[in-house]
């Protein structure tokens, strides 16, 4: 609770964390039930509290009611009803966010979109698919099994794909395949007043290719159906899709996303490499990228994180600054990539390379990496965690990581470091005693210094988690007053009554 008080976010679960609220209008809940049916509306406190927080440290702020729409038309009706009655609206996917994005700080109605889970319009020829908010990344890749395609954006958690679009998520594969932003081709958005917007234009997903070739038994469709045509580039007007990617639910409900798919690589190999220092490991990352080695993943763990992950996952690894590398390519090309990577690792004092090519071996390595959060928490049982999320230019990465490591040690904090260093993004997983106000203040001060260190290096205060509740002050420092005012004018144009996820970002 101490960190919440330090951050001005309230003390106990169930308390409103920052903004005032009004009670729901009379008969409003009955009006909700008239749209979606009684079983799809709940005002039970346990349900409301479940929907009033994510995985972050921000205090639970429950909505006044939770609804489960099952079709886009219902979302439109519910949004129009809330708009007429000036009731706040908060989108909810899987609740795996890390910045308080689902906390209903002004009460209102939580729209749980998990029951809208259709996967439609899969086009193998156009490398695209449309998903509703209830579809998670694991569910989509399971659906794609046998097609030769996959969706590579992997934030670790099995998050909703529309939620990942809303936060601008990325993950371990971003260095090769990009973040959510370039992988979202179109969005179907319900605006705050209930109107429907297709960000790349209406009908872009449902337009059939003349003479399109049928694919019998293809996933996502029936035999004899023709593939939907989706153009790959456009220069028509403002880029509305990019506006909504990363909007964190403050501009509308993302009720369907058309995603870019990628071919599965013919061959994959992964390895770990231990280094004599943090600087050597990060410098190796920069040199791998400068040498144009087409690395698919390159993850950094400091010696504290490696030790914690090894104990948690039962893998024996040297307690040293470590890189996890994964290469994707053809069988012939992979051998050359491995040779290049090994040479650069050795030049930086790295050792211990042993390539894993079988799926089971690679799976164990990446399961260890994805367990980093829980491994960090196990360092101090009974304590809580707070994850930073800065991202800096690759050229500044070695200096910023080393300075941050020194700051951690000087602050006396437990904060193992891990990151997607191939794109300059790294995290300090700060583990602290929530009942110790002094330690909580040190955590908050460290997080602010780190954010400003990243900004001074030309980076950003958040590479993938979003702004949410906790980074609004840093957003002003990052964008400047004119930038923030421009965001506010966009928000006011689309949501003049500030009903969509109020209190977040701005």
């Amino acid at each position: 609770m101490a960190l919440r008080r330090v951050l001005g976010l309230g003390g106990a679960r169930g308390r409103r964390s920052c903004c005032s609220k009004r009670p729901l209008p009379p008969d409003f809940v009955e009006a909700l039930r008239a749209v979606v049916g009684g079983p799809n509306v709940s005002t039970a406190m346990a349900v409301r509290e479940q929907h009033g927080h994510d995985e972050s440290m921000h205090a639970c702020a429950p909505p006044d009611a939770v609804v489960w729409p099952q079709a886009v038309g219902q979302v439109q009706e519910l949004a129009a009803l809330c708009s007429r009655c000036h009731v706040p609206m908060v989108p909810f996917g899987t609740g795996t966010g890390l910045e308080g994005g689902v906390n209903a700080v002004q009460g209102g109605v939580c729209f749980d979109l998990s029951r809208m889970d259709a996967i439609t319009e899969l086009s193998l020829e156009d490398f695209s698919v449309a998903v509703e908010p209830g579809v998670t990344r694991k569910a989509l890749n399971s659906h794609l099994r046998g097609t030769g395609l996959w969706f590579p954006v992997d934030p670790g958690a099995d998050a909703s794909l529309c939620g990942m679009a809303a936060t601008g998520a990325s993950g371990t594969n971003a260095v090769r395949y990009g973040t959510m932003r370039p992988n979202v081709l179109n969005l179907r958005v319900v605006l705050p007043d209930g109107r429907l917007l297709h960000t790349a234009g209406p009908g872009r997903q449902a337009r059939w290719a003349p003479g399109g070739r049928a694919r019998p038994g293809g996933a996502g469709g029936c035999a004899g159906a023709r593939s939907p045509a989706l153009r790959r580039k456009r220069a028509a007007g403002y880029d509305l899709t990019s506006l909504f990617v990363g909007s964190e639910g403050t501009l509308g409900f993302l009720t369907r996303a058309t995603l870019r798919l990628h071919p599965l690589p013919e061959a994959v190999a992964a390895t770990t490499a231990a280094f004599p220092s943090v600087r050597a490991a990060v410098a190796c990352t920069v040199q791998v990228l400068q040498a144009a080695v087409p690395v698919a993943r390159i993850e950094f763990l400091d010696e504290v994180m490696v030790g914690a992950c090894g104990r948690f996952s039962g893998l024996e690894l040297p307690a040293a600054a470590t890189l996890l590398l994964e290469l994707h390519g053809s069988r012939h090309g992979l051998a050359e990539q491995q040779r290049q990577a090994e040479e650069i690792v050795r030049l930086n004092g790295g050792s211990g390379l042993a390539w894993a090519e079988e799926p089971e071996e690679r799976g164990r390595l990446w399961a260890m990496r994805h367990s980093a959060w829980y491994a960090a928490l196990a360092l101090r049982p009974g304590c809580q965690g707070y994850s930073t999320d800065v991202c800096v230019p690759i050229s500044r990465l070695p200096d910023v990581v080393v300075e941050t490591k020194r700051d951690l040690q000087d602050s006396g904090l437990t904060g193992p470091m891990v990151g997607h260093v191939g794109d300059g993004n790294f995290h300090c997983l700060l583990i602290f005693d929530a009942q110790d106000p002094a330690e909580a203040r040190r955590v908050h001060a460290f997080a602010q210094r780190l954010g400003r260190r990243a900004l001074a290096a030309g980076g950003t205060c958040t590479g993938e988690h979003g702004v949410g509740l906790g980074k609004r002050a840093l957003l002003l420092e990052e964008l400047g007053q004119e930038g923030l005012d421009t965001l506010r004018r966009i928000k006011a144009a689309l949501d003049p009554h500030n009903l969509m996820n109020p209190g977040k970002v701005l």
Side-chain angles (χ1 to χ4, degrees):
M1 305 303 175
L3 181 60
R4 294 167 181 161
R5 288 194 292 270
V6 169
L7 296 177
L9 296 171
R13 288 206 168 200
R15 290 177 53 186
R16 299 294 170 194
S17 58
C18 58
C19 304
S20 61
K21 69 178 287 285
R22 298 183 303 167
L24 295 179
D27 302 322
F28 182 79
V29 174
E30 287 305 315
L32 296 176
R33 292 188 176 111
V35 176
V36 295
N40 294 312
V41 179
S42 178
T43 57
M45 179 55 75
V47 174
R48 290 163 51 205
E49 287 192 342
Q50 179 188 0
H51 288 80
H53 66 92
D54 54 15
E55 298 292 333
S56 72
M57 284 301 303
H58 299 290
C60 177
D64 296 297
V66 179
V67 296
W68 286 268
Q70 299 177 65
V72 64
Q74 291 181 343
V75 179
Q76 290 182 267
E77 288 187 64
L78 292 166
L81 173 63
C82 290
S83 180
R84 289 194 302 271
C85 298
H86 288 196
V87 172
M89 298 169 273
V90 181
F92 188 97
T94 56
T96 55
L98 293 169
E99 293 296 342
V102 301
N103 296 33
V105 295
Q106 291 187 21
V109 178
C110 171
F111 287 54
D112 186 329
L113 303 173
S114 61
R115 296 179 186 174
M116 296 175 61
D117 58 358
I119 300 175
T120 61
E121 297 164 8
L122 171 62
S123 173
L124 304 184
E125 293 88 347
D126 291 320
F127 299 87
S128 64
V129 69
V131 297
E132 288 189 328
V135 181
T136 66
R137 64 175 185 87
K138 288 184 180 178
L140 175 59
N141 281 324
S142 177
H143 183 84
L144 293 172
R145 192 172 294 129
T147 66
L149 301 177
W150 71 314
F151 187 73
V153 182
D154 175 9
D158 189 23
S160 156
L161 289 158
C162 285
M164 289 165 58
T167 58
S170 62
T172 58
N173 288 306
V175 64
R176 172 73 173 264
Y177 299 99
T179 67
M180 284 300 290
R181 197 173 298 277
N183 285 292
V184 177
L185 302 173
N186 200 356
L187 291 168
R188 184 183 67 189
V189 181
V190 173
L191 296 173
D193 60 4
R195 289 175 297 151
L196 195 65
L197 167 70
H198 293 272
T199 58
R204 293 287 81 84
Q205 295 122 319
R207 189 164 54 85
W208 298 106
R213 178 165 53 89
R215 183 174 291 273
C222 59
R226 288 182 293 178
S227 302
L230 186 67
R231 59 201 169 359
R232 304 301 289 175
K233 64 179 183 179
R234 62 191 293 269
Y238 301 138
D239 187 350
L240 294 178
T241 303
S242 287
L243 173 64
F244 282 88
V245 174
S247 61
E248 301 186 42
T250 62
L251 301 179
F253 296 95
L254 309 189
T255 63
R256 185 171 65 191
T258 302
L259 304 174
R260 184 190 308 273
L261 301 178
H262 297 261
L264 280 167
E266 178 187 358
V268 177
T271 191
T272 62
F275 291 84
S277 68
V278 166
R279 182 177 290 277
V282 180
C284 180
T285 300
V286 175
Q287 292 171 28
V288 166
L289 298 174
Q290 289 173 334
V293 179
V295 64
R297 305 190 200 189
I298 184 163
E299 296 285 297
F300 165 74
L301 296 83
D302 74 357
E303 73 283 357
V304 181
M305 189 77 264
V306 170
C309 285
R311 288 189 296 274
F312 189 83
S313 302
L315 294 179
E316 291 188 12
L317 294 170
T322 296
L323 292 181
L324 276 69
L325 298 94
E326 185 167 278
L327 305 174
H328 294 179
S330 66
R331 297 195 182 281
H332 175 73
L334 200 64
E336 175 60 19
Q337 294 177 32
Q338 289 172 293
R339 186 195 63 76
Q340 287 180 287
E342 288 170 2
E343 182 178 349
I344 296 170
V345 166
R346 282 194 297 271
L347 286 173
N348 285 277
S351 61
L353 279 83
W355 293 96
E357 299 188 13
E358 294 302 318
E360 294 79 9
E361 293 179 87
R362 292 188 284 105
R364 283 194 292 272
L365 279 179
W366 292 110
M368 177 203 68
R369 165 60 184 89
H370 285 317
S371 72
W373 175 253
Y374 302 103
L377 289 173
L379 290 171
R380 295 181 67 183
C383 289
Q384 295 181 332
Y386 181 81
S387 176
T388 65
D389 180 41
V390 299
C391 187
V392 299
I394 292 294
S395 62
R396 297 300 310 278
L397 186 63
D399 288 339
V400 171
V401 170
V402 170
E403 290 169 19
T404 301
K405 182 75 172 173
R406 186 181 306 118
D407 192 0
L408 266 174
Q409 294 168 343
D410 293 345
S411 301
L413 296 171
T414 301
M417 297 174 66
V418 61
H420 323 303
V421 286
D423 51 17
N425 187 200
F426 70 94
H427 313 290
C428 297
L429 308 185
L430 302 167
I431 312 303
F432 70 102
D433 182 354
Q435 304 305 318
D436 183 346
E439 187 175 19
R441 283 192 292 272
R442 294 204 310 274
V443 166
H444 176 58
F446 171 84
Q448 294 297 304
R449 288 195 303 273
L450 176 53
R452 294 189 173 101
R453 184 178 301 122
L455 296 182
T460 176
C461 64
T462 177
E464 57 186 7
H465 296 168
V467 174
L469 287 169
K471 295 189 173 75
R472 289 173 294 177
L474 287 171
L475 183 66
L476 172 60
E477 295 180 35
E478 181 167 333
L479 298 182
Q481 191 61 55
E482 191 58 46
L484 201 62
D485 287 345
T486 300
L487 294 187
R488 288 194 175 111
R489 286 191 287 270
I490 293 171
K491 167 77 168 170
L494 293 171
D495 183 19
H497 303 298
N498 190 29
L499 299 177
M500 281 300 311
N501 212 7
K504 317 298 168 52
V505 183
L506 303 174

